[in-house]
Amino acid sequence: MTPLRRPVIAGNWKMNKGPAATREFFRQFKPRCPARTDRTLAFFPPAVSLMAAAEMARDRPDLLLGVQNIYWKPEGAFTGELSGAMAREAGARFTLVGHSERRHVFGESDDDVRRKVAAAFEADLVPVLCLGEKLEERKAGQVEAVILRQLDAAVSGLPEAHIAGLLIAYEPVWAIGTGVNATPADAAAAHAVLRRRLAEHAGEDAARSIPILYGGSVKPENATELLAAADVDGLLVGGASLDPGGFARIALSEVRASG
Ligand code: 13P
């Protein structure tokens, strides 16, 4: 098992917390959550707060950082965008790619997601590929079709070694910010579908080593049961990651021992 197949518990702060609020978060979080070697913890603050987060995590190398989005070009006349190399230099190890809000609020296509996944590897960032179906797609029985389309598009043309280095976050759109989480059984079913397809793309060993996180209305109260579900290798937490005490409870949830 690769070190990353240890459960990954990550906080996506979305458009919340500037540098001062970021420093305050870590001041409160660190004493509540001592370093643990049986899990990986990661934070996705807004890009302008990344260096404040890096400064606060300097004495805690177990607290890893990422950005919420990158553009696929390395530099140039792309007002408002951020390259992977810049994010790396500012302290990011990861980048989210294809988060539901990027897809559905900002109109990112499967092809944009594919380019960003490739660009992340170019910049030595680990992409966390986010995907998930909308409510109407679930009601129409299209969960598998949608998440496999998103996965296939994102890894199209990607070398197997890079596919093996991905993290995946299954985040059903209807569960994001709604208070209605997927059941552990729903999450396990979707993750199993994704893992089978990953095996077709990159082989059984790679598929076994790729962490597949669940996201959507994760809270301290449901984290343990979601983490206990088959094929759920971690959590991507939105709203509940903003509170240092609550996120420390999630981060300290009971996890399966890694082999
Ligand atoms: P919530 O935890 O607020 O539902 O958000 C999930 C999410 O989008 C994490 O990326």
Side-chain angles (χ1 to χ4, degrees):
M1 214 173 252
T2 66
L4 278 175
R5 186 77 196 266
R6 290 186 309 199
V8 179
I9 300 178
N12 172 13
W13 290 357
K14 309 191 179 184
M15 199 172 75
N16 295 287
K17 297 191 193 293
T22 294
R23 287 191 194 92
E24 185 54 30
F25 175 93
F26 282 104
R27 259 193 289 279
Q28 294 187 31
F29 179 80
K30 288 192 291 185
R32 288 177 166 82
C33 188
R36 302 276 303 249
T37 55
D38 62 346
R39 64 199 67 200
T40 298
L41 298 185
F43 297 83
F44 294 84
V48 290
S49 300
L50 185 61
M51 290 180 71
E55 177 194 312
M56 294 303 291
R58 198 162 293 143
D59 62 347
R60 287 288 301 269
D62 61 306
L63 305 179
L64 305 181
L65 301 173
V67 285
Q68 300 170 12
N69 181 38
I70 57 167
Y71 190 51
W72 58 77
K73 296 277 193 171
E75 63 191 2
F78 304 104
T79 300
E81 294 294 326
L82 173 73
S83 77
M86 292 168 190
R88 187 83 174 90
E89 183 185 341
R93 298 266 306 272
F94 300 92
T95 180
L96 303 183
V97 182
H99 187 276
S100 165
E101 287 138 26
R102 298 301 318 169
R103 293 178 191 263
H104 303 302
V105 181
F106 298 101
E108 275 186 19
S109 66
D110 285 342
D111 202 49
D112 294 335
V113 172
R114 176 185 64 76
R115 290 169 190 248
K116 290 182 178 195
V117 166
F121 283 113
E122 285 289 311
D124 198 22
L125 292 173
V126 175
V128 182
L129 168 63
C130 303
L131 40 76
E133 81 288 354
K134 296 193 254 187
L135 185 58
E136 58 266 31
E137 293 165 335
R138 173 162 284 258
K139 284 184 175 160
Q142 296 169 345
V143 176
E144 277 201 27
V146 170
I147 63 179
L148 291 179
R149 187 202 79 223
Q150 292 172 329
L151 176 62
D152 290 348
V155 303
S156 160
L158 201 63
E160 281 187 16
H162 282 177
I163 298 176
L166 278 173
L167 270 70
I168 310 274
Y170 169 63
E171 299 202 303
V173 180
W174 49 270
I176 296 179
T178 59
V180 181
N181 59 284
T183 64
D186 286 339
H191 289 209
V193 164
L194 293 167
R195 204 179 303 282
R196 270 199 302 279
R197 188 67 129 229
L198 287 165
E200 289 169 27
H201 282 296
E204 294 287 344
D205 286 352
R208 262 195 300 276
S209 74
I210 295 171
I212 307 181
L213 283 52
Y214 166 78
S217 296
V218 174
K219 305 177 264 293
E221 296 75 28
N222 60 20
T224 301
E225 62 168 10
L226 286 161
L227 283 167
D231 272 310
V232 174
D233 306 312
L235 302 170
L236 182 56
V237 186
S241 71
L242 297 172
D243 172 56
F247 191 60
R249 278 177 64 201
I250 296 174
L252 294 171
S253 300
E254 194 179 318
V255 297
R256 275 193 297 269
S258 61

